[in-house]
Structure formats: C-alpha cells, structure tokens
Amino acid sequence: MIKDVMVRLDGSAADEARLAAVNEIAELFQSQVIGLFLNILPVVIAAEDGIGAIGAAELLQAARDAGDKMEAKLLQRLNRLQKPVELRRFDILSDDSANVAAREARVADTFVALRPNGAPQEPEHLVEGVLFGSGRHLFLVPNRKPVKGPFEHIVVAWNGSRESARALAEALPYLHKAKQVSVVVVDEEPPMELQAVLGTDAVKHLKHHEINAVLHRVRMRDNDVGATLMAEARRLKAHLIVMGGYGHSRVREWLLGGATYALLHKAPIPLLVAH
C-alpha cells in the first residue's frame, strides 16, 4: 500500500499541480503526506583576509530567514489538505538537492513531482537523481492542469526487462484500485520470435494478484517506442502510464532509453516510473 506520499514543494504556482496529485493519491490510499522543502542557500566565499566574511554571513542568514517564512507558508498549505502531514526542511546548496531528495525518497512509498521540462520547470537533475538514486517510484504529473483521479484505467508498458518488472511491482497498489489495466507491448516490424509471446507472462502474473489485466499489442510507429506508447494511452483513454526508467545513473548525456526520455518530457497524463 501507499502509506506515505512525498512531494517537493517550493512555494511556486507549481505546488498546486503537485499537491493536486498528492491529494488524489492520499485519498485513494488514506496516506500521510510528506512535504520536502529544499531551501537553497547562496554560494558565498569570504576573502582570505577576512574582509567580506560579515557580508557572507548576512547573506546566509537572509536565506535562512526567507526559508523560515516559506516553511510556515508551506506548512499552512499542507494543512489545508486535511490529512496527516509532515514538512521536512533542509538548508542546502543547489548541488546537493538531487542527493537529498533521493535520500529522503528512500523512506517514502512514492515521490511526486512535475515532469522535468514544464513551466515552471522541475529541476531535471532532481527528477533524474530520485529516479536512479532512491529505489522508489516517481509519480510525475503534467503541469498544465491539476491531476484529477481516480486512476481508473492504467496502461503498463511492458518489454520484459528488469526495469519494467520493477515498475510493475511498484505499481501494484495502484493497479489493485484500477477498474481497467492494459499491458501494452510495442512490437517491432516484423516481431522477433520471443517478442511474439511477450506480455502474456505479465498478464498472468497480474491475474495471480487478482488484477484482471488485458494484453494489447501495437506496432511501433516511426521507429519511436515513446510516441507509440503515448498514442496508445490516448486511444485507450488511460489515466496513468506505468513504465520502467532505463539509463545509467546520472550521466549528463542522459543515457536514457528513447522511450523513457520521451515519456518523462512529453507524457500527456501522469506517469509512474521506476528504475
């Protein structure tokens, strides 16, 4: 079950979209909500002879004072959810934000954030850090409008990999609550021998969990797995996409599989992704 939902909050208008998703998840599972406030401190370097040290201290104190005001504002906003809430604050440098978020997410059931290329933008390195460093799933939402549940029809992207198996396991609580579950396999053209039976094992596994999933096989469009998955999710009128996140830790060239990158940045509906 999903008993604690973590969400990064920064006091911007983007918090409304994040908290709308958090509220839907918390309603569905009767969860506690954990807000994560990363108060970013300025980088200050005092001169070797001590000149400027006072000014540096004042800058840091001003950042902490601003953090105090924001913390109070965020806690007030969390309390309006009328659910058990907690706010965790960390005064850190910007370079530490991804590591701190990943560390905190390890002791939550899910980490909610915006897709990493929206406006206002969710820090891409933070989303990447939690995906590869937390061992938990991310629940990523488009920021155009608040998410409205419940997530009645869920699409599971399946290719038989370790990552897709991990995402499937993380998604089980959501799948138990759904009315429809579609396991989608994207076939190459022509499909390979093993590809021809891919997906039947995932459907059987879900039925062992008393989840009545249906297998959908679709031909890949324009050599683009991500676009094919998004098109199929639209056709099926799905409310949530579940998929594995492929890549190699935090390599800055974004060594992510094409489908992962496409959905992280373009998914039109919420995305549950795990590595």
Side-chain angles (χ1 to χ4, degrees):
M1 295 295 288
I2 308 298
K3 287 303 179 184
D4 38 27
V5 184
M6 181 170 286
V7 56
R8 188 185 79 91
L9 301 172
D10 59 8
S12 72
D15 283 350
E16 292 306 310
R18 296 182 185 110
L19 287 170
V22 164
N23 192 57
E24 293 295 342
I25 296 170
E27 283 283 340
L28 194 61
F29 298 106
Q30 300 300 301
S31 313
Q32 173 173 308
V33 177
I34 303 170
L36 181 65
F37 172 38
L38 304 177
N39 188 39
I40 305 301
L41 301 178
V43 177
V44 292
I45 302 174
E48 291 184 4
D49 58 6
I51 298 175
I54 296 177
E58 289 176 345
L59 282 173
L60 289 172
Q61 188 57 50
R64 292 189 176 97
D65 291 344
D68 291 343
K69 293 178 181 178
M70 181 59 69
E71 182 179 7
K73 175 183 174 183
L74 294 176
L75 189 55
Q76 186 179 49
R77 180 62 185 85
L78 280 171
N79 284 327
R80 291 207 297 269
L81 295 177
Q82 296 185 332
K83 292 177 175 59
V85 299
E86 175 188 350
L87 182 63
R88 298 179 188 173
R89 169 185 169 179
F90 298 90
D91 292 343
I92 58 174
L93 298 177
S94 179
D95 289 347
D96 294 328
S97 60
N99 289 333
V100 172
R103 182 193 71 204
E104 293 301 306
R106 290 173 194 147
V107 287
D109 290 317
T110 183
F111 188 94
V112 175
L114 300 181
R115 284 197 290 102
N117 70 330
Q121 183 173 345
E122 195 80 80
E124 193 156 330
H125 72 284
L126 187 143
V127 172
E128 181 189 358
V130 175
L131 174 60
F132 291 122
S134 70
R136 310 300 290 172
H137 70 269
L138 284 95
F139 193 101
L140 299 176
V141 298
N143 65 345
R144 293 170 298 178
K145 55 184 178 180
V147 171
K148 293 183 179 179
F151 312 106
E152 294 184 348
H153 188 178
I154 300 178
V155 161
V156 177
W158 182 256
N159 65 1
S161 67
R162 180 189 70 82
E163 289 85 355
S164 61
R166 181 63 188 159
L168 182 65
E170 287 278 309
L172 283 175
Y174 302 86
L175 299 176
H176 275 292
K177 296 285 188 178
K179 292 182 179 180
Q180 289 180 270
V181 175
S182 299
V183 175
V184 175
V185 174
V186 178
D187 284 329
E188 299 175 2
E189 176 119 27
M192 299 172 63
E193 183 177 353
L194 290 177
Q195 186 82 5
V197 296
L198 190 63
T200 56
D201 49 358
V203 168
K204 185 182 296 185
H205 172 65
L206 289 174
K207 287 184 177 179
H208 291 161
H209 282 270
E210 300 181 347
I211 297 168
N212 190 26
V214 176
L215 179 62
H216 291 262
R217 310 190 69 90
V218 294
R219 290 292 177 89
M220 184 161 50
R221 303 181 181 183
D222 301 322
N223 201 34
D224 190 332
V225 175
T228 304
L229 285 170
M230 285 186 280
E232 185 66 5
R234 288 191 189 96
R235 188 186 72 82
L236 294 171
K237 298 181 180 179
H239 304 111
L240 177 66
I241 300 172
V242 173
M243 72 171 297
Y246 308 94
H248 300 86
S249 189
R250 294 182 53 207
V251 178
R252 288 317 310 159
E253 289 80 6
W254 268 90
L255 295 180
L256 294 170
T260 304
Y261 189 88
L263 270 79
L264 280 180
H265 291 77
K266 299 179 182 178
I269 59 176
L271 174 69
L272 188 157
V273 58
H275 178 74

